[in-house]
Amino acid sequence: MADNGDDIDAEYRIRDGDYVVLKRGDVYKAAQIQKKRKIVFEKQWFFLDNAVGQLYGTTFEIEAGGAMKPHSAKQDVSAADRDGKKAGTDNRNIVDDGKSQKLTRDDIETLKEQGLKGQEIVQQLIDNSTTFKDKTEFAQEKYIKKKKKKYDNNVTVLRPSTRILAMMYHGREPGKICHLRYDTLAQMLALGNIHAGSKVLVFETCAGLVLGAVMERMGGYGSVIQFYPGGGPTRAGMENFGFPPHFHQTLHEFPLCKVNALLAGRLEAEEGPEAAGEPQEEASSGAEVKEEAPEETQEMEVTAEGDESKEKERQERRRERKVYERKVKMEEKRKKLTATAALLEERHADGLVIASRFHPCPVLLGLLKFLAPSRPFVVYCQYREPLIECYTKLREQGGAISMRLTDSWLRQYQVLPNRTHPVLLMSGGGGYLLTGTTVATDTAKATTKQAKEEEPASKRIRLEEMDGASSNNSA
Amino acid sequence: MSFVEYSEVVQEDDVVIVFLGHDAMMPVHVRSGAQTQTRYGAIRHSSDLIGRRFGSKVTCSKGGWVYVLHPTPELWTLNLPHRTQILYSTDIATITLMLDLKPGAVVCESGTGSGSLSHAILRTIAPTGHLHTVEFHTERAQKAREEFGRHRVGHLVTVRNQDVCRQGFGVEGVADAVFLDIPSPWEAIQHAKAAIKRQGGRVCSFSPCIEQVQQTCAALVASGLQELLTLEVLLRVHDVRSVTLPLPDFGPEDDQHTHTHTQPAPGNALVTVKTATPPREMAGHTGYLTFATKVRE
């Protein structure tokens, strides 16, 4: 660790308020660095205060009282570098009598209470195991690895990325992300051609993980429009990425329940009555509201002075302020909605990503209308049957080609000298994907082309010229 | 048109993908006055392609029609001229995610091969990243350079014609990620480590054989790289179709309520179900992907 303090490493240092990922073994947990905030992770509790100023990737030892101390270089126990190592060749004389470990459960608890480090406990367990020296070299290594996993209390602080967060969610809370496995998410990002500068539509109920993954690939260039069901978008997973503020400026949102209105061109009309339905004449313009409210509050202050009904007045004032604040918020929301609607109305978005707990068919057929021709779309579903329906409907409707229904298998391997094999437990399924490319639908122009096909050659050329598509036709 | 930026209409000198039908596509370099022959007849570039919107239907001389598509790295992978065995999108997608690639990333790659992965990397790291790719075969290196230029991504990539196992990547301490697809990746691990930033980064090696993986992992551990992970990802493409299953005939039902039912005509009753069947044959193995992290020195 070259720690020359100079600012070359500044951007690699953990700062207060940062979103980070904690790692212990193969287990991850997303957290925000907040001073004096207790974190519970893998049956341990600690404070992240000491992580501030350290470099990303640093491993910490958890000390009594929850403090973290940067873990010094390797002093780990491993079978290979144990001196005077003795090992058996097979297990013909090893008997499982349940008495090989001389330390009792209570002894181990006492060691823990004494504040012994994980390493030291593992060493104690080895020293007090009567069968350890008779185990084969491989079995010894396996024993140490298993004990280390249990007693090592080191935590590494990492910078979040799609890889880490997708693995974290899939490992810890697959239900929250519709069981979307990280290799499937990888396919979605690639097949959706997600890249900087494009305009991507996202509809997801994967806690914001898919949204975050898309935003990471866009790098703050272009725009992302998130459709959301219900009262507002879910973005906890996206927040965990800890994107810089300018990324958030490229993120827009649009309620799914207004899609039909937008497609029918009556979004504005619908906005009016709904706003009027709000108490306190929400229909008035934002400018008016802003002028009005401060005056009112000033007036309140004057009348409140020396009055015995002070409390009542104050309550009134609070209520007024609340109403005013809500008005401003509503107005802001409406403005945003109008801006997003304008982005959508052009109907030339560059990509569509769907991953939700809803039936994908109506979502796909509805949102596909906002896509430009020759753009990829990706639909994720935990189940195959709804995607079969999407495939069939889209075939009938037209406007999409190269449709593929796929799923992927992910197999992990243990690679060790003389012990290489697939990992025993593998994921049974990571969900299904329907992918395809949009094309221009048969509009008036296309139908004339269709008609052309039945016509004699000479007439066909003339029609083509009328199309205006051919300026310097050679024929 | 560019592989890193969408455009609306086809222009002179673009590379477009002509979609002829299910799994039949071809790349076309658009030149005014040129013609391309397809099974549906000729496409005249000046009249049929230039000025047309991407995604539109184009009628060929024999009356059939095709779609003209905007190129993407995934379409290019399916259509590129093979100079070597290539990586396909399933592995490419996994590599991209597991290497933490994003706009601004600096990546080293060897060998360049046919440029299948290179295009996907460039798409992901644009507009501010850079790809340093090394190919020891002179002609392949030159072909790749020409292709990158034609696809308007030349400014994002440096192609070096050298042996990565001996001379490395030609850069040191700059990369966020390194990818190796060479016969003896263990000979390039030290160079990979040197190419990565002092603050750390990610490595991936692709090998078809498990013995190569073992040697690579040994070299990675010896070089002090951490978090080794070896994966294999396989894609299944399902065929969506309707299948019809005949119902068996159990003979007349011996039931007092039979008069309320209408008996199905025995022997020819059928049920149709929509289904997606897995492929009869599929790519069962491409290669093992081994990932590792270089931690800060």
Side-chain angles (χ1 to χ4, degrees):
Chain A
M1 262 215 255
D3 210 359
N4 13 0
D6 292 333
D7 272 324
I8 39 164
D9 280 333
E11 60 170 313
Y12 297 91
R13 284 189 196 286
I14 302 162
R15 286 165 306 175
D16 194 14
D18 274 6
Y19 287 88
V20 302
V21 179
L22 309 174
K23 179 179 188 284
R24 194 194 132 176
D26 293 329
V27 187
Y28 298 97
K29 182 191 172 85
Q32 192 182 11
I33 304 273
Q34 279 172 311
K35 293 248 167 108
K36 290 175 188 157
R37 168 75 74 85
K38 195 179 196 174
I39 300 277
V40 180
F41 178 44
E42 288 288 278
K43 293 174 193 162
Q44 289 179 74
W45 60 269
F46 48 90
F47 297 94
L48 290 170
D49 299 40
N50 290 348
V52 175
Q54 298 292 334
L55 296 160
Y56 273 101
T58 305
T59 300
F60 296 90
E61 265 169 49
I62 309 300
E63 298 185 316
M68 295 171 94
K69 199 185 110 198
H71 181 64
S72 47
K74 294 212 160 196
Q75 0 118 314
D76 300 2
V77 202
S78 84
D81 51 38
R82 280 161 48 79
D83 38 33
K85 58 179 172 181
K86 270 188 220 151
T89 48
D90 57 44
N91 59 9
R92 74 182 75 187
N93 295 318
I94 296 182
V95 187
D96 183 14
D97 55 3
K99 292 177 198 156
S100 56
Q101 182 54 253
K102 294 298 171 210
L103 290 180
T104 65
R105 187 179 294 269
D106 291 339
D107 293 338
I108 298 170
E109 283 306 314
T110 328
L111 290 177
K112 271 194 199 166
E113 273 160 34
Q114 284 168 2
L116 231 63
K117 282 176 190 163
Q119 294 289 349
E120 294 160 348
I121 295 178
V122 174
Q123 192 59 55
Q124 290 271 356
L125 286 169
I126 292 169
D127 294 344
N128 287 288
S129 167
T130 53
T131 49
F132 186 82
K133 60 182 187 314
D134 299 326
K135 287 178 194 276
T136 64
E137 205 179 307
F138 298 146
Q140 287 180 352
E141 212 168 286
K142 201 170 170 182
Y143 181 86
I144 294 170
K145 203 177 162 193
K146 211 168 134 190
K147 295 299 172 198
K148 243 194 216 167
K149 201 174 168 186
K150 191 163 175 193
Y151 295 103
D152 240 12
N153 47 3
N154 292 343
V155 171
T156 308
V157 180
L158 299 170
R159 201 193 284 275
S161 71
T162 301
R163 165 179 61 99
I164 291 169
L165 291 172
M167 287 176 115
M168 179 191 86
Y169 270 104
H170 187 254
R172 289 172 72 94
E173 301 170 302
K176 271 197 181 167
I177 55 164
C178 306
H179 293 259
L180 169 68
R181 204 174 51 206
Y182 55 93
D183 59 308
T184 312
L185 177 61
Q187 306 301 320
M188 292 172 72
L189 297 168
L191 295 170
N193 193 23
I194 307 300
H195 64 275
S198 41
K199 185 202 283 184
V200 180
L201 312 181
V202 178
F203 177 68
E204 64 127 288
T205 57
C206 293
L209 172 70
V210 174
L211 176 70
V214 168
M215 285 172 70
E216 185 185 274
R217 288 289 173 91
M218 311 260 307
Y221 303 92
S223 50
V224 182
I225 301 164
Q226 182 187 16
F227 290 90
Y228 62 88
T234 317
R235 290 177 175 172
M238 185 273 280
E239 298 294 343
N240 286 336
F241 283 80
F243 292 125
H246 73 271
F247 275 55
H248 294 264
Q249 284 160 21
T250 65
L251 176 59
H252 309 269
E253 63 212 38
F254 193 83
L256 204 63
C257 61
K258 289 202 163 64
V259 166
N260 277 338
L262 180 65
L263 286 169
R266 56 183 161 82
L267 183 69
E268 290 301 317
E270 209 172 74
E271 275 305 285
E274 196 216 40
E278 289 288 320
Q280 323 278 325
E281 286 184 306
E282 211 69 28
S284 58
S285 83
E288 249 178 280
V289 175
K290 270 172 201 160
E291 275 171 77
E292 230 172 81
E295 260 175 62
E296 265 179 315
T297 46
Q298 248 177 11
E299 196 187 320
M300 290 298 167
E301 270 162 42
V302 177
T303 49
E305 234 153 81
D307 207 305
E308 52 192 3
S309 57
K310 225 179 194 173
E311 186 55 33
K312 209 175 172 187
E313 291 285 352
R314 211 176 289 151
Q315 261 178 9
E316 180 75 5
R317 221 169 78 194
R318 223 178 286 143
R319 206 177 63 82
E320 290 284 341
R321 177 144 292 278
K322 253 190 198 160
V323 169
Y324 164 65
E325 272 169 7
R326 224 182 59 193
K327 265 187 190 175
V328 172
K329 253 189 197 157
M330 285 287 297
E331 188 54 32
E332 233 165 60
K333 213 175 159 187
R334 212 183 61 79
K335 262 190 203 159
K336 264 180 158 178
L337 184 77
T338 318
T340 311
L343 276 175
L344 289 170
E345 264 166 348
E346 299 164 356
R347 298 202 184 190
H348 51 57
D350 297 318
L352 172 62
V353 178
I354 299 170
S356 83
R357 61 189 160 81
F358 294 95
H359 197 303
C361 204
V363 183
L364 176 63
L365 297 183
L367 300 188
L368 211 54
K369 292 168 185 155
F370 297 113
L371 232 53
S374 192
R375 297 293 187 270
F377 60 87
V378 194
V379 191
Y380 168 82
C381 187
Q382 192 184 342
Y383 313 102
R384 197 175 55 167
E385 286 70 17
L387 293 179
I388 294 178
E389 197 183 324
C390 286
Y391 184 101
T392 313
K393 285 257 173 71
L394 213 47
R395 256 288 145 76
E396 285 166 14
Q397 183 186 293
I401 54 163
S402 275
M403 278 194 286
R404 291 210 307 175
L405 177 55
T406 60
D407 74 329
S408 55
W409 282 351
L410 179 71
R411 197 159 174 131
Q412 196 181 321
Y413 288 81
Q414 168 182 299
V415 183
L416 288 170
N418 295 315
R419 283 155 295 160
T420 297
H421 57 71
V423 168
L424 298 184
L425 202 66
M426 75 182 259
S427 160
Y432 296 84
L433 290 179
L434 178 69
T435 58
T437 304
T438 56
V439 286
T441 42
D442 290 340
T443 49
K445 199 173 165 185
T447 38
T448 55
K449 254 183 256 156
Q450 212 96 53
K452 270 190 300 196
E453 280 165 33
E454 280 103 43
E455 280 166 338
S458 57
K459 201 170 178 190
R460 198 190 308 151
I461 290 161
R462 223 191 302 153
L463 263 170
E464 217 166 282
E465 282 164 350
M466 277 161 68
D467 258 354
S470 48
S471 45
N472 46 354
N473 200 325
S474 51
Chain B
M1 183 278 337
S2 145
F3 270 69
V4 296
E5 207 174 337
Y6 281 119
S7 40
E8 261 192 76
V9 292
V10 181
Q11 285 169 314
E12 167 86 34
D13 214 26
D14 275 359
V15 173
V16 302
I17 307 291
V18 171
F19 181 87
L20 299 154
H22 185 66
D23 282 347
M25 288 181 265
M26 58 195 288
V28 171
H29 189 191
V30 180
R31 298 284 181 92
S32 55
Q35 283 198 6
T36 299
Q37 292 297 330
T38 74
R39 68 166 96 125
Y40 302 116
I43 300 170
R44 287 184 299 268
H45 293 199
S46 304
S47 57
D48 298 338
L49 296 178
I50 296 173
R52 285 295 185 101
R53 208 172 171 204
F54 281 106
S56 53
K57 221 180 221 185
V58 170
T59 310
C60 305
S61 63
K62 281 189 202 160
W65 43 260
V66 298
Y67 285 108
V68 47
L69 298 182
H70 198 287
T72 67
E74 284 62 43
L75 287 173
W76 182 246
T77 289
L78 297 173
N79 290 289
L80 57 83
H82 283 221
R83 300 182 283 269
T84 57
Q85 175 66 260
I86 64 161
L87 280 168
Y88 287 95
S89 295
T90 311
D91 285 319
I92 291 173
T94 311
I95 292 162
T96 309
L97 183 95
M98 297 299 282
L99 285 181
D100 294 339
L101 301 191
K102 55 188 178 185
V106 176
V107 185
C108 291
E109 174 202 37
S110 187
T112 315
S114 306
S116 174
L117 175 68
S118 315
H119 280 81
I121 294 175
L122 290 166
R123 174 263 313 272
T124 308
I125 65 175
T128 47
H130 199 85
L131 173 65
H132 298 274
T133 186
V134 173
E135 171 61 54
F136 69 175
H137 191 285
T138 311
E139 196 194 337
R140 275 184 225 147
Q142 190 47 39
K143 281 255 168 70
R145 246 178 237 126
E146 289 163 14
E147 239 167 45
F148 293 137
R150 208 176 310 133
H151 297 165
R152 290 165 207 157
V153 290
H155 59 293
L156 295 165
V157 53
T158 308
V159 184
R160 291 186 176 82
N161 181 208
Q162 60 193 43
D163 183 353
V164 72
C165 295
R166 294 168 179 279
Q167 289 132 303
F169 290 94
V171 285
E172 283 196 1
V174 298
D176 296 288
V178 173
F179 176 79
L180 294 168
D181 178 8
I182 53 173
S184 52
W186 55 90
E187 291 177 15
I189 297 297
Q190 278 303 336
H191 295 300
K193 196 182 169 190
I196 296 176
K197 281 177 181 163
R198 195 178 63 84
Q199 290 86 358
R202 297 276 292 165
V203 176
C204 176
S205 171
F206 174 93
S207 295
C209 303
I210 201 73
E211 291 82 0
Q212 293 170 303
V213 175
Q214 287 178 313
Q215 287 206 55
T216 307
C217 285
L220 287 167
V221 170
S223 302
L225 279 90
Q226 296 182 9
E227 289 188 77
L228 267 64
L229 179 65
T230 300
L231 296 176
E232 188 181 25
V233 186
L234 294 178
L235 188 78
R236 295 203 302 168
V237 182
H238 301 260
D239 183 18
V240 180
R241 59 175 156 191
S242 294
V243 292
T244 308
L245 305 174
L247 288 175
D249 180 12
F250 283 92
E253 235 174 282
D254 187 22
D255 187 348
Q256 58 264 55
H257 302 299
T258 35
H259 60 276
T260 57
H261 300 281
T262 45
Q263 286 288 327
N268 53 9
L270 301 167
V271 169
T272 302
V273 275
K274 269 272 166 207
T275 184
T277 54
R280 201 171 65 85
E281 278 187 327
M282 58 182 263
H285 180 66
T286 52
Y288 301 102
L289 295 169
T290 298
F291 298 94
T293 300
K294 176 190 168 181
V295 294
R296 131 189 318 274
E297 280 146 7

